[in-house]
Amino acid sequence: MSESPVTAAVEHLSGEIRRGALPPGTALPTHRKLAAQYGIAIASASKVYNRLQAMGLVVGEVGRGTFVRDRPAQREWDIDDEARLNSQSVDLSFNHPTWPGQSDLLRTTLRELASSGDLSALMHQQPPGGRLHERQIVADHLTQARNIRATAEQVFLVGGAQQGLDVAIRAFLRPNDEVAVDALTYPGFKMAAALSELALRPVPSADNGPDLNALADLCRRGAIRAIYVMPTLHNPLGWVLSAAQRKQLVDIARRHDCLIIEDATYAYLVDSAARPIVALAPERTIYVSSLSKSVATGLRFGYVVVPQAHTARMKRVVRASFWSLSSMVTAIATRWLASGTVVQQEQFQREDARRRQTIAREVLHGMGVVAHPSSQFLWLPLPDGLRMDQVVSALAARGIAASKAEAYATTQHAPHALRLGLSSMPLEQVRPVLTEVRHIIEHLPI
């Protein structure tokens, strides 16, 4: 049986996109022109673009048309990257949140910048760490939204939280320094630590947080130079430390003269957490966060807050490692911070994450899910007898990508579990995709 004209058009256009004949950003024909090109009805042309959009190959913009979507092919990612997917995959390995009006907001902001008085200033290189007035905007945001008081001089603008962690390591740690980390922790910190030849010392988990007694014992036994923590929405386990836990952690750090690196990348998702570690121990805490997860992963705007006594050293390291952030990116991000746009988007992301977690708990009920109610990800332990490699391969065969526990483990043996990101797919796909995940897991031979 011959294929339908709609299917033929979809196959032809998808093939052109995948082989690069239609590169990202290419404007595709109007519905009327596409219909004439393939000899189909205008309604059928709409079906063609809807199917291409469902495949993740194109994006439609109201009033402007349909464009080839920028989704890097799998071969463009290193095998260690979390974002390693081809355009046909359902991405549960990486959180890439979107929100209504995202494109329109960027378009409006670019128009505003284009009509601003001193546009040429965006062509100039920033001083290391950013211009003082833009660092002040970040400092004001931290005061109002995070209960963190810091001067503009303590804030350094960087290309995302990952770069912030790397710069913090370069500035304050040396090869072979011992760093206490959770037994399951953020893979990006593991990679940055490996590049700087740090010795990671795992701290086992207790109920809803690290085992702080084990941390204290570790500090007593060894020469722990720093403690890396995610006190507000831990990645991947989703815990949020209580005020008492934070105080105990700070007491341990002070008693053993340890630096604290506080990663607050996902902290915006929790609207009633205890005070950040940096507010409790500003003299020894490096605070790192970004707008990647709350606004856009491609914005690559982050910031690091350092103790007042170490600002000169941080400035030297920023200058030596990457000098300064893009003036254009900084202008966009600080406009959105100053206008309250970021706070609005954070609220949207919290509400959206709660909806996704509610669906996830319904679909995966009884499977031992570990997650915060407003987290963009969850931790899924696997049934006894199932190996994570086996499950990930089975999911990949059905076009679903997931992260294995070994990417997060700092111990020799990783638990057999998956970390599933929930924010990269449309909300309406969450239930069917997770239902498919459950079905695959439950029907694999043990």
Side-chain angles (χ1 to χ4, degrees), residues 232-276:
T232 307
L233 204 60
H234 178 274
N235 180 15
L237 297 178
W239 65 48
V240 177
L241 300 190
S242 67
Q245 287 172 304
R246 295 171 195 237
K247 182 180 183 303
Q248 186 179 351
L249 191 151
V250 167
D251 289 344
I252 292 169
R254 284 181 171 146
R255 191 179 314 127
H256 299 281
D257 194 22
C258 298
L259 181 75
I260 300 173
I261 301 175
E262 180 176 10
D263 186 339
T265 300
Y266 286 102
Y268 73 95
L269 287 168
V270 182
D271 53 12
S272 58
R275 296 177 69 198

Side-chain angles (χ1 to χ4, degrees), residues 35-362:
Q37 181 179 339
Y38 288 97
I40 57 178
I42 293 178
S44 296
S46 297
K47 292 180 181 178
V48 170
Y49 281 151
N50 287 340
R51 286 173 60 177
L52 290 172
Q53 190 161 352
M55 294 164 68
L57 297 178
V58 304
V59 59
E61 297 185 13
V62 178
R64 297 188 69 239
T66 303
F67 300 84
V68 176
R69 189 179 180 188
D70 184 9
R71 284 292 299 272
Q74 187 170 359
R75 64 180 179 275
E76 295 184 49
W77 295 101
D78 183 85
I79 59 172
D80 291 326
D81 279 307
E82 291 177 87
R84 59 184 179 275
L85 307 174
N86 59 45
S87 58
Q88 290 180 298
S89 298
V90 174
D91 190 351
L92 302 183
S93 71
F94 190 72
N95 280 309
H96 179 76
T98 58
W99 34 270
Q102 197 173 45
S103 298
D104 290 339
L105 175 62
L106 178 59
R107 191 173 294 111
T108 299
T109 302
L110 291 174
R111 289 196 189 104
E112 291 173 354
L113 289 173
S115 61
S116 61
D118 189 12
L119 186 63
S120 63
L122 299 182
M123 302 298 287
H124 298 163
Q125 183 167 271
Q126 298 187 56
R131 290 181 284 262
L132 202 59
H133 74 281
E134 289 170 324
R135 294 159 72 183
Q136 184 64 56
I137 290 173
V138 175
D140 292 341
H141 171 74
L142 291 172
T143 299
Q144 296 161 11
R146 300 288 182 268
N147 198 20
I148 297 170
R149 296 193 178 277
T151 66
E153 290 81 0
Q154 290 176 264
V155 175
F156 291 83
L157 308 184
V158 293
Q162 181 66 40
Q163 188 175 69
L165 292 173
D166 180 66
V167 173
I169 288 172
R170 291 170 185 262
F172 301 105
L173 299 173
R174 296 292 177 267
N176 301 315
D177 276 353
E178 297 186 14
V179 180
V181 297
D182 297 313
L184 292 167
T185 196
Y186 170 51
F189 186 78
K190 286 175 56 182
M191 290 186 282
L195 286 175
S196 293
E197 300 179 352
L198 303 180
L200 299 185
R201 302 294 182 234
V203 177
S205 299
D207 293 336
N208 200 33
D211 186 335
L212 295 176
N213 291 326
L215 173 62
D217 289 341
L218 187 64
C219 290
R220 277 194 294 268
R221 293 198 311 269
I224 300 297
R225 177 70 186 90
I227 304 169
Y228 171 69
V229 292
M230 293 171 279
T232 307
L233 204 60
H234 178 274
N235 180 15
L237 297 178
W239 65 48
V240 177
L241 300 190
S242 67
Q245 287 172 304
R246 295 171 195 237
K247 182 180 183 303
Q248 186 179 351
L249 191 151
V250 167
D251 289 344
I252 292 169
R254 284 181 171 146
R255 191 179 314 127
H256 299 281
D257 194 22
C258 298
L259 181 75
I260 300 173
I261 301 175
E262 180 176 10
D263 186 339
T265 300
Y266 286 102
Y268 73 95
L269 287 168
V270 182
D271 53 12
S272 58
R275 296 177 69 198
I277 299 289
V278 67
L280 302 176
E283 83 285 354
R284 65 181 59 249
T285 303
I286 311 299
Y287 181 90
V288 181
S289 192
S290 75
L291 301 187
S292 295
K293 301 304 182 186
S294 60
V295 179
T297 54
L299 188 60
R300 306 317 305 157
F301 179 88
Y303 42 89
V304 181
V305 179
V306 304
Q308 191 71 54
H310 300 306
T311 57
R313 176 166 185 78
M314 187 67 173
K315 185 173 183 178
R316 291 195 299 270
V317 174
V318 167
R319 180 175 180 177
S321 56
F322 73 97
W323 189 281
S324 65
L325 191 60
S326 159
S327 296
M328 177 70 77
V329 168
T330 303
I332 293 171
T334 53
R335 272 177 177 255
W336 290 349
L337 283 165
S339 67
T341 298
V342 170
V343 171
Q344 293 172 6
Q345 296 314 317
E346 289 177 347
Q347 178 62 34
F348 171 83
Q349 296 296 350
R350 283 193 293 273
E351 294 170 357
D352 181 70
R354 291 189 190 105
R355 288 191 287 267
R356 292 167 188 263
Q357 283 290 345
T358 298
I359 295 170
R361 288 178 182 275
E362 292 173 359

